[in-house]
Amino acid sequence: VGEMGTREKVVVGIDGSDGSRAALEFAMDEAARRGAAVRVVWAIPETGYWAASYGMSPELIGELSADLEKIGRQMVDDVVAGRDGTLTDVPVEVWAVPGPAAAVLIEQAAEADLLVVGHRGRSALRSAVLGSVGMQCVLHAPGAVTVVPHAAPAS
């Protein structure tokens, strides 16, 4: 068991959106405060659909996972770079996991002290309503869940 095993763990779900970047920033800051490790999880929900429609092979799913993990790692690096060295000691792993986002995050949360998800509202009306993934995580995750509101874009 490495460094991940002895520390508290914060799991954060991302999808490349600005909302998930806000969730990632919160998770990284929270992990630094707690002395915790971070597992960044990118669910790949449509793998079954793609496989059925396009004959997606395990190799292609592996390539897609590697690409998403690279994008996730870049998001992490960007967040760390924007924090003046306060996050450089936070251990981070980035996983792309096939499956519906809520199910993947709830499963990952079983090993976590905190699950962080973004707030999925995209319009003024929808921003008042918690997205379905966030709602399922709040209802079904085994431990603490934080839903991070999407910061308003700078005008």
Side-chain angles (χ1 to χ4, degrees), residues 56-151:
M56 190 176 217
S57 64
E59 292 77 25
L60 271 174
I61 291 175
E63 278 179 34
L64 179 61
S65 296
D67 287 347
L68 293 179
E69 286 170 4
K70 198 181 296 176
I71 295 166
R73 176 61 60 181
Q74 186 60 57
M75 285 177 72
V76 169
D77 291 346
D78 289 348
V79 169
V80 171
R83 282 290 193 282
D84 298 330
T86 55
L87 300 179
T88 48
D89 294 334
V90 177
V92 179
E93 51 187 11
V94 180
W95 291 12
V97 182
V104 165
L105 292 174
I106 291 163
E107 182 183 354
Q108 293 294 323
E111 299 175 35
D113 298 283
L114 177 66
L115 172 63
V116 179
V117 292
H119 195 300
R120 296 293 300 159
R122 289 235 179 249
S123 65
L125 175 65
R126 284 181 57 201
S127 66
V129 181
L130 183 58
S132 63
V133 170
M135 182 66 82
Q136 288 180 58
C137 288
V138 167
L139 292 175
H140 302 295
V145 180
T146 297
V147 180
V148 178
H150 177 31

Side-chain angles (χ1 to χ4, degrees), residues 13-52:
I14 64 167
D15 61 5
S17 66
D18 290 344
S20 69
R21 184 187 163 105
L24 178 60
E25 288 173 354
F26 178 92
M28 296 284 293
D29 289 338
E30 185 66 17
R33 198 175 64 75
R34 294 175 176 225
V38 175
R39 177 178 295 165
V40 180
V41 178
W42 193 316
I44 316 173
E46 283 87 19
T47 43
Y49 166 79
W50 286 331

